Amino acid sequence: MSSFATTIENGIAIVTFDLPGEPVNKLNGAVKRELESLLARLRDDSATRAVVLISGKPDTFIAGADIEEFTAIANQTEAERLSFEGQETVSRLETSQKPIVAAINGACLGGGLEVALACHYRIATDHPKTVLGLPEVQLGLIPGAGGCQRLPRLIGASAALDMILSGKTERASKALRLGLVDEVVPPTILRQVAAAAADRLAREGLPKRQQKGGLSGMMLDRTAPGRRMVYRAARKQVIKKTGGHYPAPLAALGAVEVGLEQGIAAGLAEEHRAFGELAVGDVSRKLVQIFFATTALKKDDGVPAGTAVPRQIRRLGVVGSGFMGAGIAGTAVLNVEVDTRLKDSDLTRIGKGLKAATGLLKERLDRRRITRPQYERLSGLLSGSADYRGFSRADLVIEAVFEELDVKRQVLAELEAEIRPDAIFATNTSTIPIHHIASQARHPERVLGMHFFSPVERMPLLEVIPTGATSPDTIVTAVRFGRRMGKTVIVVADRPGFWVNRILSPYLNEAGHLLQEGVNIELIDRVMTEFGFPVGPVALLDEVGLDVAQKAGSVMHEAFGDRMKPAAALPRMLGATRLGRKNGRGFYSYKAAHKAGVDKSVYPLLGVHPTENVDKDLVERRLVYSMLNEAALACADGVVRSPRDADIGAIFGIGFPAFRGGPLRMIDDVGPARVVETLYQLQEQFGERFRPAPALLEMARSGGRYYPA
Ligand code: NAI
């Protein structure tokens, strides 16, 4: 079946790309071949003066290369060839004697933007779904079809590197300011405007473009010494951000630099060489696996397909307008555009909550992600009161009150008297078993956990936690709503700590043991950031709040016994009213809410003399293997439904290094037998808490793994 349909109107060929049987347009081998022969036909067709390339899909121009195709690559040579062929196809667009206009509505990403860059003129629509970008580095790759060459030539080295090295996408208005597109129009007239532009180009020739960026941009981008400064700054920033763990951004920088300094042919050669090397590398493989896992989760409702019916959520209630409640309300309004009612015990607290929730909208407005009228409309969806007024119309209520069983039970009882009998009650508890909260409910089938992470608007994960009594309809409704809030959702079992806090607990506790042994705080944190976590465990304790961590720690201790026996460090800190960032006094000191250095007065408080004279590898092993072992234990307990959910939960919930693929992937990579060996060594040195999980012993014995090899 054909992917392109062509109509010729007044000498302008309108080529509509509509990949059969797929929701979005992707570039694969067949599409590239068809495009090439189409271009050849149009070249020889005397009735055609110019071409418009437009998409037949509602929300995408071209979403990028077909990633499935990458996974089939067997070796580096094949990967290089794939990139080289992409470059060739795209160059045919650029060298076409007949001008080609890209008419862009919806996502124009990766290979899609590389196609657009090779066209002679670009028009984008102002539709919110229209975004342009080269996100390849997020898959551990670089733009490999000329993107590293054409983008800097079009918008300058600094702006291009800003986009390529981060993989971020830009809206049409910003793309226009950057010079990435030539015009922005409403979707309804895209086709007409594009046809008119094609006609103009055919008659008057290609437009002269001036690079944007003003005088300073010109000095930086147009002179060799200026560009050297740009490369140097970019390299420094990349190394700082990736800790040297992700090779793609530096490779992209290399391809841009070679292209600008040695000419486009050399640049293209470097581009496909580097692409080939990265595509078969371990980091890219891991990032692609994560991409597929999250894509699969987007289609996974948490219950077997066809067994449940989601209900529509038209109105949301949120009880508790504190830190989490406000975040949940603001995020729901922003992403789901749902009428949201907040309830707290008094109006002052409601006022604070509404202000915080509106603050999230304001931030989007300031960053020009939403317009003023959108902001006004969304703010209008938020309301609040000190009683349950309005809750009788809610379809879903999320509870985020204090972390106390009695309070939560009482709120549920009060709500059941107010809300419709078919409304769903979700609790955001982080430590209390959901079935305890639900034990006296009149409708336990409509009670479950929705565990958001802080800060809600930024953390990408949501754990949905059904009890044994929760109905499938309730589960699927919560999963779908969480997804609409922009979250990656995993459904986990109602066991203490659920998944994320379960594997986090022994890790944070091990940090407590290290602290109590006098290991230098910066060293502990540095070891783990070098391992690839975004923050170290001690800094994380400060963020979570030492009171919260202590409470969670004792719940876990009670549930799992000696393995989770809390280290002495936290009670000592709390004894000195050190709560972490929230009161400006933790392991670190805080000046005007900014983290300053380690607070050295902590050491005498813990009764230790700080030392750096430790085996760093051992520090790393203690922290990492406590988490790996717990992951194996929890997995065997049936806390997660699959290794996929486990690894995604760890990566998105606590920042487990993505390039390592998650704790279970890491166990597979290291090999269960070696993991067991290390755990035995740790057990001998540090005690029973490192006793290897039976599941690991079994895997070591039988040669099992979590994922198929
Ligand atoms: P918070 O103390 O900031 O907010 C709690 C709010 O609930 C307060 O405004 C309080 O006035 C209100 N409240 C208490 N009893 C109430 C009642 N009976 N009716 C109405 N409102 C009532 O606490 P935060 O941090 O927002 O935590 C809320 C829940 O979210 C807790 O269950 C916590 O375990 C959970 N959670 C917290 C996370 C965090 O990082 N802070 C992360 C994930 C979950």
Side-chain angles (χ1 to χ4, degrees), residues 94 125 202 659 671:
E94 189 174 53
T125 70
F659 70 93

Coordinates of all heavy atoms in Angstrom, one line a residue, residues 94 125 202 659 671:
E94 N 16.7 18.1 -0.8 CA 17.4 19.3 -0.8 C 17.9 19.7 -2.2 O 17.8 20.9 -2.6 CB 18.6 19.3 0.1 CG 19.2 20.7 0.3 CD 20.3 20.6 1.4 OE1 21.2 19.7 1.3 OE2 20.3 21.4 2.3
T125 N 2.0 25.1 11.8 CA 0.7 25.6 12.3 C 0.9 26.0 13.7 O 1.8 25.5 14.4 CB -0.4 24.6 12.2 OG1 -0.2 23.5 13.1 CG2 -0.6 24.0 10.8
A202 N 8.6 28.8 -6.8 CA 8.8 28.4 -8.2 C 9.0 29.6 -9.1 O 9.8 29.5 -10.1 CB 7.7 27.5 -8.7
F659 N 20.6 4.6 32.0 CA 21.6 3.9 31.1 C 21.9 2.5 31.7 O 22.5 1.7 31.0 CB 22.8 4.7 30.9 CG 23.7 4.8 32.1 CD1 24.7 3.9 32.4 CD2 23.5 5.8 33.1 CE1 25.5 4.0 33.5 CE2 24.3 5.9 34.2 CZ 25.3 5.0 34.4
G671 N 24.7 -10.4 36.2 CA 24.6 -11.9 36.3 C 24.2 -12.2 37.7 O 24.9 -11.8 38.7

